[in-house]
Amino acid sequence: MREIISVHGGRRLSGTVAVDGSKNSALACLAAACLVTDGEPVVLENVPAISDVAVMCDIIRELGKDVTVSDGKICVSGDFLNSDVPKALAGKIRGSMYFLGVLAAAAGEFHCGFPGGDQIGERPIDIHLAGLQKMGVDCEVCDGIVEGKVSGTLTGCRIYLRYPSVGATCNMMLAASRAAGRTVIENAAREPEIVDLGNLLSAMGVRVSGAGTDRITVTGTESVRGGISYEIIADRIEAGMFAIATAICGGSVRLDNIIPYHSFPLISLLCECGVTVEEDDNSIVVISDGRLQPFKVEMMPFPGVATDLQPAVAVMASCTQGGISTITDLVFQNRFQYIEELKHMGARIEHMGNKLEIRGGLRLHGCRIHGGDIRAVSALLLAGLSAEGETQIEGVEHLRRGYPQIDAKFRELGADVAILKLAE
């Protein structure tokens, strides 16, 4: 049997949806939970039930620690028994790279399969390795394995990241947590997930300051404590998907369990397009008549509009009333594989390097299409919501990597979305 997503478009959305915990934050925080030195458990709450999290838990178990999962909570306890991250598991998710910093700090060495994840352009790990080398780790990459060994003592230092990479910033924070002395990370990423990791590390007894700015200071400690519970922040990308879906389809949808500030760059763009967004402390209400104006936007590191939303924003551009919308991605140069699928649905898109020009005013039509990564599949789902007729989308396995029960959530809002099993 194989699965497809079936979407019948043309329905307005209405109701309330609770946004799940952040995928990107959960992966970093699961790695941080492995840093404890007192043997006490760390319990993470509001963890999304997605396949990337399941793979992360499998890696932690392979390293010898105990992991229990129950109703949105994950408990990590025990000690490392080895420092080998299997190649087969590491290659499934980008989050496996966090064990470079964790194992360097906790075990003094690592043998990690090359990290995987979506194929969305060059995402080199040299920024990670350069930072670890400055802290005293001898690193090399050979036959798809990243190896490292601490030469002497892992020592805090001043590290300049040539690009404000979220992954590299997290890795430096993780390694610095148990390094001797103080580590200063310059040109650090400022994403909300960085702040969440910093807050967890602080709760575990690590001194962290500046998370959310471009200069983060971490003072290492020999005593990273467990015995705590910590709630993961809401997923701003999932929130963005529902907000964009409402803008496209029209209607009124309340998004609960979020921090509006984390979505403010997108909220500003939606308002520019003619959408009304009402903010509360932990929720927003998105109100749209479906008549969207063209726009120009650059996808960039926070506080810009997130590159993870670029495919969804492109769908929104296709659904404007007319004119040309321009999207420039300043983060990834190859996150455009979904374009041909949108063209099959009738979209008019010009692709030039990292820039898209998209003509609005043309109704999309349903057809059979395929998404090659998490964000592409979810964006094509949004395209199906706005299209005439039925859209059948292949790539359900990618959707499950990042969005828990998204089909059921859309049905609760009135959309006609279902995951169907078909005979081969």
Side-chain angles (χ1 to χ4, degrees):
M1 303 290 286
R2 62 188 179 89
E3 293 182 310
I4 64 165
I5 307 164
S6 172
V7 186
H8 290 85
R11 296 194 177 191
R12 291 173 66 84
L13 303 182
S14 178
T16 299
V17 62
V19 176
D20 277 282
S22 166
K23 164 187 175 286
N24 292 333
S25 185
L27 298 181
C29 289
L30 279 167
C34 296
L35 287 168
V36 296
T37 58
D38 60 7
E40 293 295 316
V42 173
V43 177
L44 300 178
E45 302 177 359
N46 197 37
V47 181
I50 54 177
S51 61
D52 272 22
V53 166
V55 173
M56 197 74 169
C57 290
D58 286 342
I59 292 174
I60 295 172
R61 292 187 185 101
E62 286 287 333
L63 292 170
K65 287 183 173 283
D66 297 319
V67 182
T68 58
V69 181
S70 176
D71 193 26
K73 296 182 181 180
I74 296 181
C75 177
V76 179
S77 60
D79 298 316
F80 284 124
L81 299 181
N82 65 80
S83 57
D84 298 320
V85 179
K87 194 173 183 179
L89 289 175
K92 290 182 178 181
I93 59 171
R94 185 70 178 173
S96 59
M97 64 185 164
Y98 293 139
F99 291 102
L100 306 184
V102 168
L103 289 169
E109 62 179 2
F110 54 78
H111 309 269
C112 182
F114 206 82
D118 293 338
Q119 302 304 307
I120 54 177
E122 183 183 3
R123 296 195 290 181
I125 66 167
D126 62 309
I127 302 176
H128 303 249
L129 299 184
L132 291 173
Q133 285 168 340
K134 289 203 68 174
M135 299 176 74
V137 184
D138 295 327
C139 304
E140 65 176 358
V141 180
C142 183
D143 295 329
I145 301 293
V146 187
E147 296 186 345
K149 188 174 181 63
V150 176
S151 177
T153 302
L154 192 68
T155 305
C157 61
R158 189 174 183 181
I159 298 170
Y160 176 80
L161 303 180
R162 62 176 174 80
Y163 180 83
S165 160
V166 173
T169 301
C170 287
N171 239 341
M172 297 309 101
M173 293 171 69
L174 293 167
S177 296
R178 286 178 56 173
R182 187 178 70 165
T183 300
V184 179
I185 308 166
E186 303 280 6
N187 197 31
R190 295 184 285 170
E191 272 71 4
E193 295 78 16
I194 298 293
V195 179
D196 210 27
L197 175 61
N199 288 340
L200 172 60
L201 291 173
S202 295
M204 295 168 67
V206 181
R207 289 175 56 190
V208 180
S209 62
T213 75
D214 61 2
R215 187 175 194 266
I216 300 173
T217 301
V218 180
T219 303
T221 176
E222 295 180 355
S223 301
V224 180
R225 62 173 178 263
I228 65 165
S229 294
Y230 184 82
E231 183 174 345
I232 301 295
I233 59 172
D235 196 312
R236 62 194 173 103
I237 308 304
E238 182 183 333
M241 294 299 298
F242 284 109
I244 292 172
T246 308
I248 291 170
C249 297
S252 175
V253 171
R254 179 184 181 90
L255 305 179
D256 280 341
N257 186 40
I258 70 169
I259 301 173
Y261 171 69
H262 294 171
S263 296
F264 183 73
L266 177 64
I267 290 172
S268 298
L269 177 62
L270 292 175
C271 292
E272 178 185 332
C273 295
V275 178
T276 298
V277 181
E278 300 173 352
E279 298 182 38
D280 204 341
D281 290 342
N282 298 302
S283 66
I284 62 173
V285 178
V286 183
I287 304 168
S288 173
D289 61 7
R291 297 177 59 83
L292 303 177
Q293 301 303 310
F295 57 87
K296 293 183 179 180
V297 65
E298 293 182 338
M299 321 306 291
M300 62 179 68
F302 193 84
V305 181
T307 182
D308 280 353
L309 289 171
Q310 184 242 100
V313 171
V315 174
M316 185 169 71
S318 297
C319 297
T320 58
Q321 292 296 293
I324 300 292
S325 294
T326 302
I327 301 171
T328 306
D329 195 324
L330 301 179
V331 180
F332 293 124
Q333 73 275 27
N334 195 31
R335 195 170 218 156
F336 300 105
Q337 297 95 325
Y338 64 92
I339 291 174
E340 291 304 315
E341 306 303 303
L342 284 182
K343 287 182 178 179
H344 290 326
M345 301 179 71
R348 296 278 298 276
I349 303 174
E350 295 291 332
H351 178 200
M352 301 153 287
N354 66 340
K355 180 179 177 180
L356 300 178
E357 290 186 351
I358 303 175
R359 180 174 295 279
L362 302 171
R363 184 73 185 271
L364 301 180
H365 53 79
C367 61
R368 177 71 66 87
I369 50 179
H370 178 269
D373 61 59
I374 306 172
R375 311 309 176 185
V377 175
S378 55
L380 294 174
L381 192 161
L382 298 190
L385 292 175
S386 68
E388 294 179 336
E390 181 185 15
T391 302
Q392 294 186 344
I393 309 165
E394 296 179 341
V396 176
E397 69 278 8
H398 298 298
L399 195 69
R400 291 197 173 113
R401 287 189 53 211
Y403 297 101
Q405 303 296 321
I406 194 170
D407 54 322
K409 290 183 177 182
F410 271 120
R411 285 195 296 272
E412 291 175 1
L413 298 177
D416 188 345
V417 178
I419 295 179
L420 306 179
K421 295 183 182 295
L422 304 177
E424 290 287 356

